[in-house]
Structures are given as structure tokens and as C-alpha cells.
Amino acid sequence: MLIPFSMKNCFQLLCNLKVPAAGFKDTVKSGLILQSVSNDVYQNLAVEDWIHDHMNLEAKPVLFFWRNSPSVVIGRHQNPWQECNLNLMREEGVKLARRRSGGGTVYHDMGNINLTFFTTKKKYDRMENLKLVVKALKAVQPQLDVRATKRFDLLLDGQFKISGTASKIGKAAAYHHCTLLCSTDGTFLSSLLKSPYQGIRSTATASTPALVKNLMEKDPTLTCEAVINAIATEYATSHQIDNHIHLINPTDETLFPGINSIAKELQTWEWIYGKTPKFSVNTSFSVLYEHSHLEVKVFIDIKNGRIEICNIEAPDHWLPLEIRDKLNSGFIGSKFCPIETTMLTSILHRTCPEDDELHINIRLGEGT
């Protein structure tokens, strides 16, 4: 049952916070089931942060349902250039987000359900949460072959991944969130989660590729709405709370004081790209010069998303040392995006006479 989450509801239902008087004040006798009315990935990730940081979860667990318009979400310690096709994402208007939790990269659209289980640190238990989801799915379709793995994924028919897991554990609170594929665009998912970039060396957490399948491919009755209701029912039964899904607006500052500043931070270049672990890029250019091919090598070290070291190696007769040194120093401190490679190409073109017939083939793909 869906209930709009009004101020009256919030004062009656939500728990003691670590924030001052504004917002949720009164206590909850037991747990709570929430669902976002927003499809914006940054707003929904902000809800996770807000609940984790401000709600007292002692004996009052929370289950949060949320769905997003097309988005790619990378883990806290991942490299976006390694994990996804940034150029295709830009062309298709797909958002890129970095979450606070670890784990691998996932694709979200309206055919995917995101579930976040909030508890105290002591009661954090991913396997119990996944078993609850499995039980709910089998309540809808008893013949469904779905099971949790030691990696905390959910597999359909023993081989198809329908859910991936990540988590964040704080000093007192913790959350475990997972995806659940109902009717996601599988072709789009595969295209977006395939990086075209070559020559990247990084210690960032790498995603593990897997075969995926939608629940609705197995049983058309397993729609997002049916699955959400089934999981909510099972969660309510398990925690002995009312089976009500309370709708929330994640931009409402009267309910979540300060939440819009959290969402704003999650959209910044400094968070999405600047938090990328240090990495390097080694690539090469094939140059046609006076009817012969020359190789130009480029070595770049990137820290906090910015170019720390740039070293271009090229034949002196094509690119004099003085010009190379200027190029190398000119990029230090710049934000690294694949567009920087396009800029480098442009500069190389300008340094050479027009009649040199310069043709450059960049083997590092283009991106955002």
C-alpha cells in the first residue's frame, strides 16, 4: 500500500536524529519502508547519505526503494574511464554518478529496482537481506530458481545475474544496497558498461563482468511494481511492522534538512571524476609524415582526476624538443577527461605545417 509521506506522517513515523529541531523529530516504534518519487540518481543517492548520517536506526531498520532514469553508477573506488563508455553516455544523455559505497559499476533505468537496507552496524547482514528478497520473489513465482551467492549476488537459473550488491559501514549505522533487474534494457546495459579506452593502468577496483537477465524474461508477471510490493510485504512480515510503503520527495528540505546540498555535491566533477584513484595512461599516435609512418607516444599520470605528469615522445624532426616540453608542461594540473586527448591532438596539428599532411589515429577512445 502506497502512502504519500506528509509532514504529519513524518512526525509520527520517523526516528530520533542527530540534527537539530527541523525535519523529522519524533520516534518510530519499529521499522519503516520508503519509496522515492524521484527518478534522479543524485537525489536518490543523497537520500541514502542522509538516512545513514542522520537517522537513529537502533531497533528501527529502514528499507528504501528507488528507481532511476538511465544512469551509470560507479563504486566509491572505481575509475569511470575504465568502467564505462563515457562518449556513448554523453550522446545518449545517460548520467554518471559515483556512490559512497564500494563494489562495481551498475546500470540503472526504470526497469531496475534499487533496494537499500539500513540498519545499525551490529545488525548489518547482507545475506539475510538477500534471502528476504529471494523469499519475496518466490512468493510471487514459487517455481523461480533464484539464489544468493557467496559474492552476495542473486543468480537466476544458476547462471544469470539479476542483482549486484554493495555496502557502506559507518561507525554506528550501515547500509546494504542492491539492484534487481526486472525489465532493464540489456543491450544498452552491455554497450554502456564496456569501456573503449585502452592503455589505462590503475589500482582502482575493477568490475567483474557477468551474464545478466531480466526477471520478466523468465516470468512476465514479475514487473517492478509486483516485485516491490512483494519485497515490502516480506520485509514488513519479517520486521513485524505495518506493510505500508511511504512515498518521499528527496528534494524536500522540510523532511530532509540539507539534502539538496548533498545531491549537489554528488553531481560535481570533483566527486565524480576527482575521487578516481591515481592512474596512468599510455597511448600512441600513428603519424603519416613525408610518406612514412612515425610513432608518437604519450604517457600521462593522473591524480585526483588531474594530470600530474605528461610526457610526449616523438621524433625531433617532426616535433622539436622545445615544443614537446611546452606541451608536456601545459597539461600539468589540467582536468583529465578524454577531451584532453582531443585537445592534445589539436595542439599537435597546430604545431605542424599544413602541408605536412598530418593524420593522427588516437587509440585512446573519445569520451566526455
Side-chain angles (χ1 to χ4, degrees):
M1 180 179 179
L2 297 175
I3 299 178
F5 210 57
S6 66
M7 285 298 293
K8 181 179 179 180
N9 291 140
C10 84
F11 290 150
Q12 291 175 343
L13 292 170
L14 279 190
C15 49
N16 290 329
L17 302 179
K18 306 167 190 173
V19 295
F24 301 131
K25 299 179 181 178
D26 296 341
T27 61
V28 173
K29 303 304 180 184
S30 54
L32 191 65
I33 304 173
L34 306 177
Q35 183 174 344
S36 175
V37 299
S38 171
N39 299 322
D40 183 273
V41 63
Y42 306 113
Q43 294 173 1
N44 288 326
L45 287 172
V47 172
E48 286 191 319
D49 288 349
W50 198 95
I51 292 176
H52 176 271
D53 293 343
H54 297 305
M55 288 186 65
N56 178 4
L57 299 165
E58 191 66 45
K60 304 154 190 171
V62 174
L63 171 59
F64 175 45
F65 292 107
W66 45 295
R67 293 159 68 190
N68 294 321
S69 57
S71 314
V72 170
V73 184
I74 61 175
R76 173 67 179 81
H77 307 291
Q78 290 198 294
N79 183 321
W81 294 279
Q82 277 187 305
E83 295 296 330
C84 47
N85 190 328
L86 296 172
N87 189 50
L88 179 60
M89 290 171 60
R90 185 178 68 238
E91 291 175 357
E92 299 293 338
V94 176
K95 295 177 180 178
L96 175 66
R98 183 186 295 274
R99 60 180 184 268
R100 306 283 186 189
S101 63
T105 298
V106 290
Y107 170 68
H108 293 176
D109 63 14
M110 293 301 292
N112 168 72
I113 303 168
N114 300 295
L115 306 91
T116 309
F117 297 86
F118 296 91
T119 61
T120 59
K121 182 178 179 179
K122 291 181 180 180
K123 293 188 177 181
Y124 166 80
D125 192 330
R126 289 181 291 179
M127 188 56 71
E128 283 302 310
N129 296 334
L130 294 177
K131 287 180 179 178
L132 185 149
V133 174
V134 170
K135 189 173 180 180
L137 291 174
K138 290 189 174 183
V140 180
Q141 175 47 268
Q143 303 304 315
L144 201 65
D145 179 6
V146 58
R147 64 194 70 177
T149 71
K150 293 181 180 179
R151 290 177 54 86
F152 302 103
D153 297 326
L154 291 181
L155 292 186
L156 181 65
D157 295 333
Q159 59 177 322
F160 299 107
K161 186 174 178 179
I162 60 170
S163 177
T165 280
S167 59
K168 178 180 177 180
I169 303 175
K171 292 182 180 180
Y175 64 75
H176 160 220
H177 51 193
C178 59
T179 55
L180 195 53
L181 302 178
C182 290
S183 56
T184 289
D185 186 333
T187 301
F188 208 29
L189 180 155
S190 298
S191 299
L192 292 172
L193 301 189
K194 186 179 296 181
S195 171
Y197 312 129
Q198 299 179 20
I200 295 178
R201 296 181 181 178
S202 174
T203 59
T205 302
S207 298
T208 303
L211 292 173
V212 298
K213 194 170 188 176
N214 284 309
L215 286 167
M216 286 188 66
E217 294 178 61
K218 187 69 175 181
D219 185 340
T221 66
L222 293 169
T223 63
C224 287
E225 293 73 18
V227 170
I228 287 173
N229 287 332
I231 295 173
T233 297
E234 187 58 39
Y235 186 85
T237 300
S238 174
H239 291 84
Q240 298 182 326
I241 63 175
D242 290 339
N243 182 18
H244 297 316
I245 300 176
H246 301 278
L247 300 180
I248 60 168
N249 179 353
T251 66
D252 190 345
E253 290 273 345
T254 61
L255 300 181
F256 307 104
I259 195 167
N260 288 313
S261 64
I262 299 174
K264 185 177 180 180
E265 179 193 358
L266 292 171
Q267 299 178 56
T268 62
W269 185 95
E270 287 73 20
W271 172 254
I272 297 173
Y273 294 100
K275 292 298 182 180
T276 300
K278 186 175 180 178
F279 67 104
S280 63
V281 176
N282 298 342
T283 189
S284 62
F285 303 81
S286 177
V287 179
L288 181 62
Y289 178 74
E290 293 183 349
H291 307 294
S292 63
H293 288 276
L294 304 177
E295 185 177 26
V296 180
K297 296 180 179 179
V298 181
F299 305 91
I300 304 174
D301 285 348
I302 299 96
K303 183 179 181 181
N304 298 327
R306 293 181 180 271
I307 296 173
E308 187 177 46
I309 298 173
C310 182
N311 183 29
I312 302 170
E313 295 182 1
D316 288 344
H317 66 280
W318 178 76
L319 193 63
L321 179 60
E322 182 181 356
I323 296 177
R324 291 207 307 273
D325 287 344
K326 288 181 179 179
L327 289 173
N328 289 335
S329 60
F331 277 92
I332 294 175
S334 299
K335 292 178 180 178
F336 176 81
C337 288
I339 194 172
E340 299 294 340
T341 307
T342 303
M343 185 187 304
L344 177 58
T345 305
S346 176
I347 294 174
L348 287 172
H349 272 291
R350 292 200 300 269
T351 61
C352 302
E354 293 181 2
D355 59 357
D356 278 351
E357 299 181 358
L358 179 62
H359 300 287
I360 297 176
N361 175 32
I362 303 176
R363 293 203 291 267
L364 177 71
E366 293 184 355
T368 187

